[in-house]
Amino acid sequence: MKPLAALIEAANDNDQKKVDQLWSKYFEGNLPVIDNSSVTFLFKGSAKSVSWNGDFNAWSRDTSFINQGKQIGQSDIWLLQTTFPVDARLDYKIVVDNKWSTDPNNPNTILSGTGTSNSEIRMPDWEQSKWVKKNITQAGTLDTFIIESINLSREIEIIVYRPFGYENLNELPTIYITDGHEYINPQLGSMVEILDNLIEAEKIEPLIAIFIDPRNTNDRSKNLRADELTINSDFLEFVNTELLPVIDSSYNSSTNRARRAILGTSLGGLNASYFGANAGENFGNLMIQSPAYWYRKEIFELVENSKSKPIKVSMTTGLMHDTQADALKMKSLYESKEIPIQYIEVNEGHSWGNWQNLIDDQLIFLFPKPSKD
């Protein structure tokens, strides 16, 4: 008999001694139980209610997903069985008597954008990008400086990534990155590691990356992204008239819009489409992840009526309560304008595990290393 079936049988028989033995041998530190597309969540302990919330039920907002666990017999075992796509990767938490926490018996955790950890499900066919973990001998360098913005009436921290060998390179492409403090974090975007790896492997051109921090420099708990990344003309003017001149006068960067991109996730993805429609003379390439177009539906009209035409667009979305419907609508709009677009859907949610794992494919699409032939 398989361990899970044996555990359920022992629990139904109220054989607590055998339950304890099976748990210690097979399940402690080894959850959830995954068999092809089948997933079994388990909890062992005294409780009045146990449930599981995550990307799969929009963190409890999707009430059609049955997330309540069932106590087996009179034992201290609680169980929930479901199925997920075999290539899915999902964040979740366990809720015991209304108290949320990571799953104490799942060793896989991942940092969320809120700064807390979630437990992680990795289905059998999901693969992590090999470019996420630093595996190079020639690392780029980082510069940090503060800009006192007239348009935004605040100080903004900027971190600039220079590729290895920068001193001998000219006319480098640039990518401007909103939510820069998260994209640069190795536990979230891991973008420095990805850039180093892809450049050394000659998968992409050496490029300059400009990380824009949305937080107040005097109080990091104050994040201004919900204002500045939501079709904000002041933020656009800051980038166009204040940040671009500083970068192009201080670094070996190209001023050709075909060699300049803007990247953002969620509200940052909304902002990237806004820049494509209203600052296309400067930004020819858009790198969009899980775009929150729902936040400002007028973005579709702005893009449709814009005379500016991006050169290339790369867009991704998860399929687990993410941004698929609006992403598909924008994809169709870009295609109607005959704009080359890379569009990627994955069985994941609105999370950094999703976005981090797709950065490599998007960078390779936008800035491929030219063939030596």
Side-chain angles (χ1 to χ4, degrees):
M1 183 180 295
K2 290 185 176 181
L4 180 59
L7 179 72
I8 293 172
E9 180 180 277
N12 277 319
D13 291 341
N14 298 318
D15 187 344
Q16 191 63 46
K17 182 177 180 180
K18 189 172 182 180
V19 165
D20 293 343
Q21 290 173 342
L22 288 166
W23 184 269
S24 177
K25 184 174 183 179
Y26 295 108
F27 303 101
E28 190 170 349
N30 195 32
L31 294 180
V33 179
I34 299 174
D35 183 9
N36 252 342
S37 62
S38 175
V39 175
T40 301
F41 293 103
L42 292 167
F43 173 76
K44 185 177 190 296
S46 176
K48 294 180 180 179
S49 68
V50 180
S51 61
W52 287 263
N53 289 320
D55 292 327
F56 43 82
N57 71 335
W59 295 94
S60 79
R61 295 190 302 277
D62 178 8
T63 56
S64 68
F65 182 95
I66 305 303
N67 71 327
Q68 296 294 319
K70 294 183 179 180
Q71 186 177 8
I72 306 177
Q74 300 300 312
S75 74
D76 62 354
I77 298 295
W78 294 73
L79 172 147
L80 173 66
Q81 291 182 307
T82 188
T83 60
F84 297 129
V86 293
D87 61 349
R89 192 217 59 83
L90 303 164
D91 288 21
Y92 76 97
K93 276 189 166 73
I94 187 170
V95 186
V96 180
D97 294 339
N98 297 317
K99 294 181 179 179
W100 294 52
S101 70
T102 53
D103 189 334
N105 285 291
N106 183 347
N108 295 319
T109 61
I110 189 165
L111 193 65
S112 73
T114 64
T116 61
S117 291
N118 293 327
S119 294
E120 185 181 36
I121 299 170
R122 299 177 176 181
M123 296 298 284
D125 289 354
W126 179 82
E127 294 183 3
Q128 185 175 44
S129 165
K130 67 179 181 179
W131 307 110
V132 168
K133 303 298 181 184
K134 190 178 288 290
N135 186 29
I136 47 86
T137 57
Q138 301 174 341
T141 57
L142 299 176
D143 304 328
T144 302
F145 60 90
I146 299 290
I147 287 185
E148 182 71 48
S149 172
I150 296 172
N151 286 282
L152 296 176
S153 301
R154 73 177 185 92
E155 291 183 341
I156 299 165
E157 182 174 274
I158 305 295
I159 299 178
V160 178
Y161 166 89
R162 293 182 286 126
F164 179 84
Y166 164 83
E167 294 77 11
N168 300 315
L169 301 170
N170 292 293
E171 295 294 309
L172 291 173
T174 53
I175 182 165
Y176 287 72
I177 304 160
T178 53
D179 290 315
H181 67 303
E182 294 189 340
Y183 271 102
I184 206 169
N185 186 328
Q187 293 182 283
L188 296 174
S190 194
M191 195 150 176
V192 169
E193 290 75 12
I194 294 169
L195 287 169
D196 279 341
N197 288 334
L198 291 177
I199 290 170
E200 183 169 289
E202 298 190 338
K203 296 293 183 180
I204 64 171
E205 290 187 75
L207 58 81
I208 299 168
I210 300 95
F211 298 87
I212 307 169
D213 196 324
R215 299 171 299 173
N216 187 299
T217 55
N218 297 314
D219 183 355
R220 297 297 192 181
S221 68
K222 294 181 179 179
N223 191 320
L224 302 171
R225 69 189 304 273
D227 175 49
E228 294 179 353
L229 301 184
T230 51
I231 308 186
N232 187 318
S233 60
D234 290 334
F235 182 74
L236 185 144
E237 284 301 304
F238 156 69
V239 174
N240 269 348
T241 66
E242 297 182 84
L243 182 56
L244 283 183
V246 169
I247 297 300
D248 289 339
S249 64
S250 305
Y251 292 90
N252 303 340
S253 57
S254 172
T255 58
N256 186 337
R257 80 181 194 109
R259 295 177 62 73
R260 190 183 284 137
I262 187 158
L263 159 63
T265 185
S266 193
L267 294 179
L270 166 66
N271 178 76
S273 284
Y274 173 58
F275 269 56
N278 288 270
E281 72 280 3
N282 287 325
F283 291 92
N285 302 288
L286 311 181
M287 185 167 162
I288 301 166
Q289 298 191 305
S290 297
Y293 296 137
W294 61 268
Y295 199 84
R296 290 285 187 269
K297 287 288 190 177
E298 60 265 36
I299 187 62
F300 294 104
E301 184 176 356
L302 288 173
V303 171
E304 185 172 14
N305 295 332
S306 174
K307 295 180 181 179
S308 176
K309 185 176 177 179
I311 296 169
K312 284 196 290 187
V313 174
S314 176
M315 182 189 300
T316 72
T317 183
L319 298 177
M320 297 287 190
H321 299 284
D322 197 11
T323 60
Q324 181 194 26
D326 280 345
L328 282 171
K329 183 177 179 180
M330 187 63 79
K331 171 179 178 285
S332 295
L333 187 52
Y334 283 136
E335 287 175 337
S336 72
K337 290 175 169 284
E338 300 183 338
I339 298 167
I341 182 168
Q342 174 194 51
Y343 180 77
I344 302 172
E345 294 180 340
V346 291
N347 282 307
E348 302 199 33
H350 200 76
S351 68
W352 275 106
N354 170 359
W355 307 322
Q356 180 196 75
N357 213 44
L358 298 176
I359 290 172
D360 58 339
D361 290 330
Q362 294 185 273
L363 287 173
I364 291 169
F365 175 75
L366 294 177
F367 298 112
K369 179 75 173 181
S371 173
K372 293 181 181 179
D373 296 337

